[in-house]
Amino acid sequence: MFVHGNNLEQKENHATKYRDVDSRKYLAEIRIRYDKWKKDNEDLKGPFKKSSANDSEIIKKRVALLNEYKDFVDQQHYAEKFDSRSNLHSSILEEFMYYLFRDLVLGISKSALIGKSHSFKDVFFRAPSYEAMVKAPHALVEKKDHDFAIGASVNAKMICNGSDITEDHTWDIPAVAIECKTYLDKTMLQDVSTAAEQLKQKNPDAMYIVVAEWLKLTDSVNLKKYKIDQIYIFRKQKNTDREFRYADDYVKNPIYDDVVDHCFTTVREFLTTDWAGGIATGLEQGYLI
């Protein structure tokens, strides 16, 4: 759930990396601001399952907290010390998703899956022989990592007829999968579209969303051909390479609360309404899709 906090802790406790004076100093400074950001978000309650007149104001407060913390961590000296491979900066958005949807999901189920996920992708069976096959399924479950998911965790037991050998398997099934990007380019778009298609092959009712701070696409890209339900660009801004973001004349847009509000409302409506569909329902109305 606290993926950014975990990332920060790993750096603080790493046995060999981040041991130099600057790294220790910077991590200590970020730790103070992170603990405050986390506490402020945990103290702030909502939005919840049931919509209220205060929802937009709560989201504005969460986004204001995010902008304040993100601006601090995105300072040039931190960005140069902890590059994109460290995932320190990108994990902030992933943890923000948890704060944004926490109270909504807990209002539906206390045992729901929420956070980083190793989700079910496929299952196949590979017994070493027919004699082994009739004793145990020898199931292999292929999983796909998602930056953030809302769904259910499943514990499955498999046993062959007439056998007393049981196989236990655990996997996640997302109802909503959200991929978090600093910026979205065409290669990333193709990758997440493939992941969305794979998810919906096994869970056709699932929703797949991409959220990014910046956009790195041209108008020649046909978004309709991709298998993604929605793409949110939180800063409403085209991407600029990191070295230019620190130029004196660069104007960095904030993360806009109205975009985050739309994202939240879309997910809440999806999670709190029935998923009517299937052949039986379609046959009654005369159209199937």
Side-chain angles (χ1 to χ4, degrees):
M1 294 182 292
F2 305 111
V3 60
H4 175 64
N6 293 339
N7 183 290
L8 183 59
E9 184 176 0
Q10 288 170 5
K11 288 175 172 52
E12 292 169 327
N13 298 326
H14 202 286
T16 56
K17 296 175 65 177
Y18 312 113
R19 308 308 300 176
D20 60 280
V21 174
D22 283 345
S23 291
R24 306 313 297 171
K25 178 177 181 290
Y26 293 166
L27 288 171
E29 292 168 352
I30 294 172
R31 165 58 67 181
I32 293 171
R33 297 296 287 263
Y34 168 74
D35 287 345
K36 182 180 185 303
W37 179 57
K38 179 181 178 182
K39 182 180 185 303
D40 288 344
N41 270 288
E42 290 186 318
D43 290 345
L44 182 60
K45 303 303 180 184
F48 299 95
K49 177 183 175 182
K50 186 176 180 180
S51 62
S52 75
N54 296 327
D55 287 349
S56 291
E57 192 59 37
I58 293 168
I59 289 175
K60 284 182 180 179
K61 290 179 181 178
R62 289 206 187 278
V63 172
L65 292 172
L66 174 61
N67 275 314
E68 181 182 6
Y69 181 63
K70 198 78 172 61
D71 287 345
F72 177 80
V73 179
D74 284 351
Q75 291 181 82
Q76 187 171 4
H77 57 290
Y78 296 140
E80 291 174 348
K81 175 60 71 171
F82 308 109
D83 62 18
S84 59
R85 292 170 297 178
S86 75
N87 294 323
L88 179 69
H89 299 79
S90 60
S91 59
I92 296 174
L93 205 54
E94 296 175 35
E95 187 161 326
F96 173 73
M97 289 294 113
Y98 169 71
Y99 298 133
L100 180 64
F101 293 110
R102 174 196 59 194
D103 294 322
L104 162 63
V105 174
L106 291 178
I108 298 173
S109 171
K110 302 297 183 184
S111 57
L113 163 71
I114 178 170
K116 209 168 188 70
S117 171
H118 309 291
S119 301
F120 177 84
K121 181 179 178 182
D122 205 351
V123 59
F124 58 102
F125 304 89
R126 182 172 285 172
S129 66
Y130 177 63
E131 185 175 347
M133 178 183 174
V134 297
K135 293 178 181 178
H138 292 87
L140 297 172
V141 179
E142 187 178 3
K143 299 178 182 180
K144 171 73 172 71
D145 289 344
H146 293 294
D147 293 337
F148 181 84
I150 298 169
S153 295
V154 175
N155 299 313
K157 292 185 180 294
M158 296 184 183
I159 185 170
C160 290
N161 189 27
S163 174
D164 58 359
I165 300 174
T166 302
E167 287 183 5
D168 295 321
H169 298 276
T170 301
W171 59 72
D172 298 335
I173 302 177
V176 179
I178 301 179
E179 295 303 306
C180 303
K181 305 292 184 184
T182 300
Y183 65 88
L184 180 67
D185 63 17
K186 190 172 182 179
T187 300
M188 294 175 186
L189 181 60
Q190 291 168 339
D191 289 343
V192 294
S193 179
T194 299
E197 188 171 14
Q198 292 170 342
L199 172 63
K200 294 185 179 195
Q201 285 174 352
K202 299 300 184 290
N203 183 12
D205 289 321
M207 173 179 282
Y208 196 101
I209 292 172
V210 177
V211 301
E213 293 184 59
W214 285 278
L215 182 66
K216 196 175 182 179
L217 297 175
T218 66
D219 290 339
S220 62
V221 175
N222 177 15
L223 295 176
K224 295 293 186 180
K225 73 178 183 180
Y226 296 100
K227 309 299 182 182
I228 302 166
D229 292 288
Q230 188 55 272
I231 299 170
Y232 291 99
I233 307 300
F234 281 173
R235 296 190 189 273
K236 303 182 185 179
Q237 194 170 26
K238 287 290 188 76
N239 182 66
T240 300
D241 291 337
R242 191 178 68 180
E243 58 266 29
F244 298 116
R245 291 184 198 149
Y246 300 107
D248 292 337
D249 60 347
Y250 178 68
V251 178
K252 183 176 76 171
N253 285 356
I255 292 174
Y256 285 91
D257 57 77
D258 63 318
V259 186
V260 177
D261 197 317
H262 189 284
C263 177
F264 176 84
T265 303
T266 299
V267 171
R268 178 166 63 184
E269 182 178 356
F270 176 73
L271 293 177
T272 56
T273 55
D274 292 337
W275 300 335
I279 291 177
T281 301
L283 190 60
E284 290 179 1
Q285 59 195 14
Y287 44 92
L288 302 187
I289 298 176

